[in-house]
């Protein structure tokens, strides 16, 4: 899977969790899920589950803790896909 | 402090109509919301008839964001949010868009059990060793107060936001709790109501108790027969009703439309003593509840011209009429008009009190007493107590002055509320 393709797929997942005052165009690679995109911590749990389904991978608790930004998520997805 | 409290908004999501217009028309015509439920047949239920609001997907989109809709599997929340938001809008109120909670606005929205289908989903995942896959919505959809929490967030209320639960008395109890809060000056506006989930996991227990009629699976609209000689048990229903209660002061300041005044009422319990049990009412307590409601409302029993009973269509209907008659000291021709909406909506359990209160109050607006359905054959025990003319079998033109509404529930709990046509003085 190309990096751009993965990024788009991730953006599609994040989109639905954005509060009203954040637009999809605000999502950048450096965006912090909670601080920049205002996603609440409860919904981060759901993003993890959606990522698991979309990429057919499994994220462990420590992966979830590391997943603070969009870049973090991309890196974790890469690692998991590589391990598969 | 004893302030006047009025009703300024109504909302409903009922088996025979979603929204005030459809619901009113259904009540005027006695249109039934009871249907044969194929899923209950498949599961081998004795009674396969039930009442479920017909909520279209497109309608749900008006109340829930795409994110809120994801994994939404709690019908009670869907019904409660539709009824609650409609009532708020009907009262001319808007969502709080400021940065500060609305301190003088609160919510008391009850339920019996919430999100049973969501809970079932969670149970399956947990039993498969997959608890990590529950996601974030499991708790908020299955906690009893999920419904008041949802509405509280949507409306930005800053006063008390809670969920009451008293079986089939829940909705009526909530109105009196909201009344107390406003009357005592602790809040200006309270959204009150109740909701009940649909489906086999809610209704199954009642089927197992063999208190639901089993002979009407092919004839669902005839199945629920309050006050009838051929009444054979109640038909379970579901849905939600909601009312906005407001201090008269606040309503007048806003120039809000006033449906009726709440004069107060009474809540009590029979202690499961004597005739009372977990499932049967203690008549001593029922009569006391009605008598105290009259006293607390500051009226005479002769002021009541319409009663909306609990009247579930079991063999206990006769006893309920006897209790009303004794408590009010009125019988035969002197008895008020009385109706039960359970003939067309079924017994909506925790939602019953609020849905039926919404219907009762619509009678002031429509200047009618809505008809009783399926009681062409009034039970002879009831005919001995009150005149048949007190039980309208056709919707009757009548400008109600005072309507008494009561609900009784498992646990031997009772609530009776008194509504009055609004006059300035």
């Amino acid at each position: 899977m190309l990096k751009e393709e993965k990024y788009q797929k991730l953006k599609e997942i994040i989109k639905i969790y954005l509060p009203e005052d954040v637009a999809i165009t605000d999502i950048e690679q450096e965006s912090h899920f909670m601080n920049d995109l205002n996603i609440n911590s409860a919904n981060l749990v759901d993003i993890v589950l959606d990522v698991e389904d979309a990429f057919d991978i499994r994220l462990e608790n420590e992966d979830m803790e590391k997943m603070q930004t969009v870049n973090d998520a991309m890196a974790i997805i890469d690692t998991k896909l590589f391990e598969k | 402090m004893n302030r006047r409290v009025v009703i300024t908004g109504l909302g409903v999501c009922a088996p025979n109509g979603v929204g005030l217009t459809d619901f009113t028309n259904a009540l005027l015509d006695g249109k039934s919301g009871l249907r044969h439920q194929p899923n209950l047949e498949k599961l081998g239920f004795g009674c396969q008839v039930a009442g479920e609001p017909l909520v279209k997907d497109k309608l749900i989109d008006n109340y829930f964001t795409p994110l809120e809709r994801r994994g939404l599997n709690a019908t009670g929340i869907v019904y409660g949010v539709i009824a609650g938001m409609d009532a708020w809008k009907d009262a001319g109120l808007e969502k709080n868009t400021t940065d500060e909670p609305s301190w003088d606005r609160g919510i008391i929205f009850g339920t019996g059990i919430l999100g049973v289908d969501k809970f079932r989903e969670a149970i399956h995942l947990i039993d498969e060793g997959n608890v990590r896959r529950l996601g974030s919505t499991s708790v908020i959809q299955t906690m009893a107060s999920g419904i008041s929490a949802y509405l509280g967030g949507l409306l930005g209320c800053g006063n008390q936001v809670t969920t009451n639960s008293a079986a089939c008395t829940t909705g009526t109890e909530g109105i009196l709790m909201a009344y107390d809060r406003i009357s005592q000056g602790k809040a200006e506006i309270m959204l009150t109501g109740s909701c009940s989930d649909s489906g086999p996991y809610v209704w199954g227990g009642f089927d197992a108790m063999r208190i639901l009629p089993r002979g009407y699976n092919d004839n669902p609209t005839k199945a629920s027969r309050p006050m009838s000689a051929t009444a054979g048990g109640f038909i379970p229903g579901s849905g939600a009703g909601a009312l906005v209660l407001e201090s008269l002061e606040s309503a007048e300041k806003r120039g809000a439309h006033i449906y009726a005044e709440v004069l107060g009422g009474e809540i009590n319990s029979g202690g499961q003593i004597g005739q009372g049990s977990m499932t049967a009412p203690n008549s001593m307590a029922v009569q006391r509840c009605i008598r105290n409601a009259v006293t607390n409302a500051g009226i005479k029993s002769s002021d009541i011209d319409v009663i909306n009973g609990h009247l579930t269509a079991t063999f206990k209907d006769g006893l309920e009429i006897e209790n009303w008659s004794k408590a009010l000291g009125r019988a035969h021709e002197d008895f008020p008009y009385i109706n039960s909406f359970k003939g067309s909506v079924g017994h909506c359990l925790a939602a019953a009190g609020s849905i039926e209160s919404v219907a009762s109050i619509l009678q002031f607006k429509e200047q009618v007493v809505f008809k009783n359905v399926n009681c062409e054959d009034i039970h002879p025990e009831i005919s001995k107590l009150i005149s048949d003319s007190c039980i309208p079998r056709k919707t009757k033109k009548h400008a109600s002055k005072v309507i008494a509404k009561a609900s009784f529930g498992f646990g031997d709990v009772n609530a009776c509320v008194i509504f009055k046509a609004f006059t300035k003085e």
Side-chain angles (χ1 to χ4, degrees):
Chain A
M1 204 184 299
L2 291 169
K3 189 169 180 220
E4 184 56 28
E5 199 184 329
K6 261 180 277 180
Y7 183 52
Q8 286 310 323
K9 212 166 165 179
L10 184 58
K11 264 169 81 164
E12 277 304 305
I13 292 172
I14 298 167
K15 188 173 75 175
I16 195 164
Y17 296 99
L18 295 174
E20 275 171 27
D21 54 346
V22 181
I24 184 161
T25 46
D26 294 334
I27 304 175
E28 288 169 10
Q29 304 224 12
E30 291 75 32
S31 302
H32 189 281
F33 287 112
M34 288 161 75
N35 301 343
D36 297 325
L37 303 178
N38 291 341
I39 291 171
N40 78 41
S41 57
N43 279 332
L44 265 185
V45 172
D46 300 315
I47 292 181
V48 168
L49 295 183
D50 289 354
V51 165
E52 289 190 344
D53 290 338
F55 295 95
D56 194 22
I57 52 177
R58 177 179 164 133
L59 272 60
E60 303 304 331
N61 281 340
E62 55 270 26
D63 300 320
M64 297 189 195
E65 278 153 28
K66 271 187 254 162
M67 205 179 93
Q68 301 286 321
T69 66
V70 175
N71 261 341
D72 294 342
M74 294 281 287
I76 292 165
I77 292 165
D78 277 340
T79 316
K80 296 290 169 182
L81 285 175
F82 182 75
E83 284 169 3
K84 255 176 60 165
Chain B
M1 206 163 192
N2 214 349
R3 307 191 305 162
R4 290 178 74 182
V5 179
V6 293
I7 296 160
T8 54
L10 300 173
V12 70
C13 184
N16 63 344
V18 178
L20 290 179
T21 308
D22 285 359
F23 185 58
T24 304
N25 290 336
L27 290 165
L28 286 167
D29 300 341
K31 190 186 125 193
S32 180
L34 305 181
R35 299 168 199 93
H36 175 256
Q37 308 282 336
N39 62 333
L40 300 186
E41 180 177 0
K42 210 176 84 194
L43 293 168
F45 274 51
C47 173
Q48 299 159 9
V49 181
E52 185 176 352
L54 300 176
V55 182
K56 296 199 177 75
D57 254 22
K58 247 172 76 185
L59 184 76
I60 300 180
D61 284 337
N62 296 341
Y63 298 85
F64 295 88
T65 65
L67 176 56
E68 286 163 347
R69 283 206 65 170
R70 291 197 80 198
L72 179 61
N73 197 10
T75 48
I77 291 182
V78 173
Y79 306 150
V81 166
I82 291 174
M85 297 302 284
D86 281 4
W88 200 254
K89 198 172 160 202
D90 185 49
L93 295 164
E94 284 172 16
K95 293 184 186 181
N96 177 2
T97 50
T98 72
D99 295 334
E100 194 173 353
S102 304
W103 302 117
D104 56 3
R105 299 176 178 186
I107 297 170
I108 298 176
F109 214 101
T111 189
I113 181 168
L114 194 67
V116 283
D117 291 335
K118 190 72 183 177
F119 196 41
R120 178 177 185 268
E121 224 180 81
I123 287 169
H124 283 300
L125 285 168
I126 292 166
D127 285 351
E128 287 159 11
N130 235 340
V131 64
R132 54 187 295 284
R133 295 286 312 179
L134 288 188
S136 74
T137 56
S138 177
V139 175
I140 55 171
Q141 288 184 38
T142 63
M143 62 183 193
S145 60
I147 182 56
S148 53
Y150 245 91
L151 288 165
L154 288 169
L155 301 173
C157 290
N159 205 281
Q160 181 182 21
V161 173
T162 192
T163 288
N164 65 308
S165 191
C168 307
T169 307
T170 301
T172 307
E173 179 187 61
I175 295 170
L176 287 167
M177 291 167 74
Y179 165 83
D180 281 344
R181 201 156 174 87
I182 298 168
S183 159
Q184 292 165 12
K186 292 178 179 165
E188 291 302 324
I189 297 175
M190 295 295 291
L191 174 63
T192 185
S194 59
C195 62
S196 193
D197 273 28
S198 296
Y201 310 111
V202 179
W203 301 326
F206 298 102
D207 196 57
M209 290 171 84
R210 301 185 155 269
I211 50 178
L212 313 184
R214 299 175 168 219
Y216 291 91
N217 294 339
D218 298 327
N219 202 3
T221 61
K222 299 288 174 202
S224 178
R225 316 183 61 75
M227 295 186 279
S228 152
T230 45
F234 75 82
I235 292 296
S238 54
L243 306 88
V244 172
L245 266 60
E246 184 166 3
S247 69
L248 175 59
E249 210 182 320
S250 163
E252 282 181 333
K253 207 185 298 171
R254 294 196 305 115
H257 168 253
I258 295 173
Y259 282 96
E261 180 165 1
V262 185
L263 294 181
E266 175 73 327
I267 302 167
N268 76 359
S269 168
Q272 300 178 40
I273 288 167
Q275 201 184 7
S277 71
M278 180 59 84
T279 54
N282 178 347
S283 292
M284 194 200 293
V286 169
Q287 290 174 29
R288 185 186 168 89
C289 183
I290 296 167
R291 271 199 311 269
N292 287 0
V294 169
T295 310
N296 294 344
I299 57 165
K300 296 190 294 290
S301 68
S302 56
D303 294 333
I304 295 172
D305 55 348
V306 179
I307 293 170
N308 180 247
H310 188 59
L311 300 168
T312 59
T314 66
F315 69 97
K316 293 273 187 195
D317 286 0
L319 180 63
E320 182 180 332
I321 300 289
E322 189 185 330
N323 284 332
W324 279 107
S325 176
K326 283 185 176 166
L328 299 177
R330 297 175 62 182
H332 308 295
E333 310 290 332
D334 179 45
F335 196 78
Y337 290 124
I338 187 162
N339 57 13
S340 168
F341 306 126
K342 291 187 176 76
S344 50
V345 301
H347 185 357
C348 296
L349 306 171
S354 59
I355 291 176
E356 293 164 13
S357 288
V358 169
S360 295
I361 290 154
L362 286 170
Q363 295 181 135
F364 288 114
K365 179 173 175 247
E366 300 295 322
Q367 308 249 303
V368 296
V369 179
F370 292 128
K371 66 198 273 188
N372 287 285
V373 306
N374 298 332
C375 74
E376 301 78 16
D377 52 342
I378 295 173
H379 198 290
E381 292 300 316
I382 293 174
S383 292
K384 274 188 216 163
L385 299 163
I386 63 173
S387 160
D388 288 2
S389 63
C390 303
I391 307 173
R393 264 71 53 81
K394 281 192 181 125
T395 294
K396 196 173 181 61
K397 279 260 161 241
H398 175 79
S400 305
K401 291 180 197 75
V402 176
I403 300 178
K405 162 71 194 144
S407 297
F408 313 117
F410 277 14
D412 202 5
V413 291
N414 313 306
C416 179
V417 57
I418 309 287
F419 302 119
K420 183 175 168 288
F422 179 69
T423 49
K424 198 105 172 74
E425 293 315 313

